[in-house]
Amino acid sequence: MKCHLVESLLRKMLLTLRLMLKRSIFILIILSGFVSKAQTLDEQIGYLLSDALFYSDKYIVPATDAAVYQASSSWMNSAKKKEKWQFDLGVHANVFFVPNRDRKFAISNSDFQFFEIEGANEATVPTALGNDNQVYLVGDLDGQEIRFKTPEGINQETVVYPYLQASLGLPYGFEVVGRYSTRTKLKRGDYQVYGFGLKHNFSQYFSALESKKINLSFMTMYSNEEISFEFLDVDTDFGNLGLNQFTSKVDTYHFQLAVSKDIQAFEIIGSFIANVSNFNYRVSGNSSEASVFESAINQLLPQLEDTKWNYMGELTGVYHFSKFFAKTSFTFGKFVNLNIGINYTIN
C-alpha cells in the first residue's frame, strides 16, 4: 500500500517537472526572439548612423574648406607702416568662385550599409556647393521603409557676401584690424564670418627698403566662420531623424607675409598666406527637443572634425584718392577668391 502511494507521488512530481520544463523552454524561446529582434534593430540603427556620417563628410567638407578661403582674403590694406592712431573704415564684397570639382561626388550601393540608391547602383549627387539634382535613398528600419531625397546644394557658381573692416594704427609700427559680416543668406543656408588681426611693419627698420618705397609687413589674424545648410527632413515611426540643418563652425588662425611697392598713388602688394583651421560640426532638427538620431549623430560627428593647413598666394592693388582708397585682392590656391572694397581714412 505504501509502495503504491510513493509510486503515485513520484509520477505526479515527474509530470509537474515536465510541465515546468516545457513552460521554461517556451518562455526562453519567446525571450530569445525579443533579444534577437532588439539586437537586429540596434544593428540597423548603427548602420543608419554610419551611412549618415559617410554622407555628411562628402556633403559638407567642400563647403567648410571654401569658407576658410573666403575668410583668408584681403586682411591687409597696406604693407606700409600706418600712422599712429590713423583709423580706416571700409565696406568690402567678397566673391568666391565655386569650382566644378567640389560641386558633386559619386556614391554607389557599396558605400552604404543601411541605405540603397533607389533604382540604381551608382549616382552622382551634389555637395553643399553643388546643384539641386537629387536621388532617392531607401532603407528598412524594423520593417518600416525609410525613403528620402538626398540634400540639395546651394546651386550657385559664385558666393558673394559683404562685410565691414576697420583698422587702427598703433605705436611702433603695429596695426590692429577687425572684420565683421552679418549673416549672409545663401539659397539653402547662410554664412557669417568675424575676426581680428595684428600687423607689424618691418621695412621701417631698413632705410634701404624705405628709400626705394618697398614695404615689408607680417600679419597674424583669427577668424570664426559659421556656415549652415538645410540637410535632411525625414519622419519615421521612431520620430524625425533630427538632421534638418547641418552647421559647421570653423576657428582659423592666419599668417600673412607681404611685400609691396609704392608707384605714385598706387600700391601693389604680393602676399603669402598660411592658415590652420579647426572644424566643429553639428546637426539639429526643427523640434526643441533633440531626437534620438540627432543626439547619436552629434556624438559621431567629431570623427569628421580635423585640423587642416592651407597655403595660398594673394595679389592686391590699392589706389589712394583724397581720404579714400579702393582695394582689389585676388587670392589663389586650392580655390580662387576675389575681394573688392572702398575705405575711408580718418587721420
Side-chain angles (χ1 to χ4, degrees):
M1 186 75 177
K2 289 182 179 179
C3 290
H4 286 295
L5 182 60
V6 171
E7 187 177 332
S8 177
L9 289 170
L10 286 173
R11 285 176 181 174
K12 289 181 179 179
M13 289 175 64
L14 287 172
L15 182 60
T16 302
L17 287 171
R18 285 175 184 170
L19 290 172
M20 291 176 65
L21 182 60
K22 287 180 180 179
R23 290 173 181 170
S24 299
I25 292 172
F26 180 71
I27 291 170
L28 286 172
I29 290 172
I30 292 174
L31 288 175
S32 65
F34 281 126
V35 171
S36 176
K37 185 176 181 180
Q39 289 175 338
T40 302
L41 180 58
D42 286 345
E43 189 176 65
Q44 289 175 343
I45 292 174
Y47 289 155
L48 187 157
L49 293 174
S50 177
D51 287 354
L53 191 68
F54 162 79
Y55 202 97
S56 300
D57 182 31
K58 298 293 185 181
Y59 179 79
I60 196 69
V61 167
T64 54
D65 287 349
V68 171
Y69 262 72
Q70 293 182 75
S72 301
S73 178
S74 200
W75 279 87
M76 193 179 294
N77 287 333
S78 170
K80 293 187 288 188
K81 177 183 177 181
K82 198 175 192 68
E83 295 297 326
K84 186 169 63 172
W85 312 129
Q86 187 179 70
F87 179 76
D88 295 334
L89 180 63
V91 178
H92 292 249
N94 195 84
V95 183
F96 175 78
F97 299 93
V98 181
N100 287 329
R101 68 174 184 272
D102 289 295
R103 292 170 60 86
K104 58 189 177 181
F105 64 100
I107 56 173
S108 67
N109 286 332
S110 61
D111 294 323
F112 300 107
Q113 295 177 290
F114 180 83
F115 290 108
E116 290 184 349
I117 305 166
E118 186 175 74
N121 186 54
E122 298 178 337
T124 299
V125 291
T127 68
L129 297 176
N131 56 30
D132 54 5
N133 294 340
Q134 294 176 288
V135 299
Y136 278 99
L137 295 181
V138 294
D140 183 276
L141 185 61
D142 196 32
Q144 185 202 355
E145 182 184 63
I146 306 295
R147 181 176 182 265
F148 63 89
K149 285 184 178 181
T150 54
E152 300 175 59
I154 60 174
N155 199 25
Q156 297 176 223
E157 294 184 359
T158 58
V159 177
V160 181
Y161 75 93
Y163 65 88
L164 295 175
Q165 182 163 306
S167 63
L168 177 67
L170 301 176
Y172 309 110
F174 285 94
E175 179 181 343
V176 64
V177 179
R179 171 181 294 188
Y180 177 79
S181 78
T182 58
R183 192 169 294 277
T184 301
K185 184 67 177 175
L186 306 175
K187 287 185 178 179
R188 298 193 63 82
D190 52 60
Y191 175 75
Q192 185 177 31
V193 62
Y194 63 85
F196 56 88
L198 184 66
K199 186 193 89 173
H200 185 64
N201 174 269
F202 287 94
S203 53
Q204 63 179 317
Y205 306 119
F206 304 95
S207 56
L209 292 178
E210 290 197 318
S211 65
K212 296 178 181 179
K213 296 186 177 181
I214 295 175
N215 312 289
L216 176 66
S217 287
F218 178 79
M219 188 173 187
T220 182
M221 305 84 80
Y222 164 79
S223 65
N224 177 275
E225 304 92 51
E226 181 174 327
I227 186 167
S228 297
F229 294 99
E230 296 175 12
F231 196 44
L232 298 173
D233 186 6
V234 183
D235 289 311
T236 73
D237 288 346
F238 303 90
N240 191 282
L241 289 186
L243 311 179
N244 303 72
Q245 187 173 56
F246 202 123
T247 301
S248 175
K249 294 184 179 181
V250 189
D251 293 308
T252 303
Y253 297 88
H254 313 260
F255 310 94
Q256 180 175 1
L257 180 64
V259 179
S260 75
K261 170 70 175 177
D262 291 331
I263 305 174
Q264 296 181 357
F266 290 92
E267 182 181 3
I268 309 300
I269 310 170
S271 299
F272 172 76
I273 302 170
N275 60 43
V276 58
S277 301
N278 296 310
F279 298 83
N280 179 265
Y281 301 111
R282 184 170 183 83
V283 294
S284 56
N286 290 331
S287 173
S288 58
E289 295 183 5
S291 74
V292 174
F293 297 99
E294 178 184 339
S295 300
I297 195 67
N298 279 325
Q299 291 178 25
L300 294 174
L301 282 176
Q303 296 180 34
L304 304 183
E305 295 171 2
D306 197 6
T307 298
K308 292 184 180 179
W309 281 90
N310 287 290
Y311 306 95
M312 61 203 75
E314 183 175 81
L315 292 176
T316 300
V318 183
Y319 177 68
H320 294 266
F321 56 99
S322 185
K323 288 183 173 292
F324 294 89
F325 63 90
K327 184 177 74 167
T328 301
S329 297
F330 179 72
T331 309
F332 52 92
K334 181 181 178 181
F335 300 103
V336 175
N337 194 83
L338 178 67
N339 191 290
I340 56 176
I342 185 75
N343 298 263
Y344 180 75
T345 301
I346 301 173
N347 291 325

